């Protein structure tokens, strides 16, 4: 897996990118046109033209169903090289804010001097605006995870997809006072219409390096093992405060995972920072957590 270069960043600087679609999608459009022309010029070849288009659609669909793929556009699966050099990692926490879970998550992060990025759902943020503001007040970051977290998100057309993302963007900016710079698709699933929407809204797509499946796994030790296996500078980890699975005693799994994960990060001299802080090439606004080996050199 390659590390994103500085040129891949950051959302706030993305507006000067030339093309809304990556070369692969542009080539797909040309592929359709070429197949059509062949079918017109040589009508007997139409089954081949149809097969060529079907194969292309299958490849585009696969790219959308593979959360970490870059076929459909820029996609952070790791932090940029400059952040990895600073020994930074990003803990990202999705599907909140959730009043039953998020406050305890914030306390755990504070206790370990760590910062995190919360990919919030627009509708949940509107339901719990004070909690959303509290996330930011305590030095963390709120980013865009769509407005309703529809399980049909990857089936939406361009207009509906734009509405879904723009509505969350407007709500989150209004509530926190800071416009999100990053977007994560619900369940990581998308389609070729997403890239132009993100470009227009100056949002950078983020997936993850590793996930713990904490919406379905009920044992914190199991989730922790998945997240901590091979933990290294530049990793982006995904966990959940909203939609979190519960342990046998009813506790949200993330609360049993974070202490061990943050202790492991500290033992490796890794610093948990927000995505906006990690995106900064010079680290000027990187938040240095007190006592968390913030000054550790690579
Ligand atoms: Zn989600």
């Amino acid at each position: 897996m390659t590390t994103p270069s500085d040129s891949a960043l950051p959302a706030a600087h993305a507006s000067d990118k030339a093309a809304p679609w990556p070369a692969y999608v542009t080539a797909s459009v040309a592929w359709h046109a070429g197949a059509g022309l062949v079918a017109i010029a040589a009508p007997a070849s139409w089954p081949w033209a149809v097969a060529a288009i079907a194969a292309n659609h299958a490849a585009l669909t696969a790219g959308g169903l593979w959360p970490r793929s870059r076929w459909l556009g820029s996609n952070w699966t790791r932090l940029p090289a400059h952040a990895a050099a600073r020994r930074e990692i990003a803990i990202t926490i999705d599907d909140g804010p959730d009043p039953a879970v998020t406050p305890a998550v914030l306390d755990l992060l504070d206790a370990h001097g760590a910062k995190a990025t919360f990919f919030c759902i627009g509708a949940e943020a509107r339901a719990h605006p004070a909690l959303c503001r509290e996330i930011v007040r305590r030095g963390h970051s709120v980013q865009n995870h769509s407005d309703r977290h529809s399980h049909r998100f990857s089936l939406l057309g361009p207009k509906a997809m734009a509405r879904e993302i723009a509505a969350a963007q407007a709500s989150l900016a209004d509530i926190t006072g800071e416009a999100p710079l990053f977007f994560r698709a619900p369940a990581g699933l998308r389609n070729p219409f997403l890239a132009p929407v993100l470009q227009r809204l100056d949002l950078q797509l983020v997936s993850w390096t590793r996930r713990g499946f904490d919406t379905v796994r009920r044992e914190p030790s199991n989730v922790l093992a998945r997240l901590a296996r091979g933990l290294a500078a530049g990793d982006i980890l995904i966990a959940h405060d909203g939609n979190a699975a519960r342990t046998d005693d009813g506790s949200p799994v993330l609360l049993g995972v974070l202490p061990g994960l943050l202790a492991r990060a500290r033992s490796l001299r890794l610093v948990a920072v927000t995505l906006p802080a990690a995106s900064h090439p010079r680290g000027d606004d990187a938040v240095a957590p007190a006592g968390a080996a913030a000054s550790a050199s690579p």
Side-chain angles (χ1 to χ4, degrees), residues 84-129:
R86 296 193 296 254
R87 297 199 63 74
E88 292 171 355
I89 61 170
I91 297 172
T92 63
I93 301 173
D94 289 16
D95 294 4
D98 183 331
V101 184
T102 311
V105 169
L106 292 174
D107 289 345
L108 281 173
L109 292 169
D110 275 359
H112 289 80
K115 302 301 178 196
T117 299
F118 290 76
F119 276 98
C120 290
I121 298 169
E124 296 302 323
R126 289 191 295 275
H128 311 289

Side-chain angles (χ1 to χ4, degrees), residues 117-178:
T117 299
F118 290 76
F119 276 98
C120 290
I121 298 169
E124 296 302 323
R126 289 191 295 275
H128 311 289
L131 183 51
C132 222
R133 280 190 285 272
E134 179 69 2
I135 292 172
V136 173
R137 190 189 71 76
R138 288 163 78 159
H140 308 290
S141 176
V142 167
Q143 300 295 330
N144 189 330
H145 193 36
S146 84
D147 202 53
R148 293 167 300 148
H149 204 271
S150 166
H151 294 301
R152 293 172 39 82
F153 179 81
S154 66
L155 302 176
L156 296 178
K159 284 188 176 159
M161 190 166 272
R163 274 198 305 272
E164 180 69 13
I165 299 169
Q169 189 75 358
S171 287
L172 296 172
D174 185 46
I175 290 167
T176 67
E178 298 173 2

Side-chain angles (χ1 to χ4, degrees), residues 14-89:
S15 52
D16 53 356
K17 278 190 291 192
W21 276 296
Y24 182 81
V25 176
T26 306
S28 294
V29 175
W31 184 267
H32 280 66
L37 287 174
V38 167
I40 291 168
S45 69
W46 72 265
W48 294 102
V50 169
I53 288 173
N56 182 251
H57 275 245
L60 287 172
T61 302
L65 296 179
W66 176 23
R68 301 179 72 240
S69 89
R70 296 199 178 107
W71 294 0
L72 302 183
S74 174
N75 181 9
W76 282 21
T77 60
R78 300 186 60 75
L79 296 178
H82 61 248
R86 296 193 296 254
R87 297 199 63 74
E88 292 171 355
I89 61 170

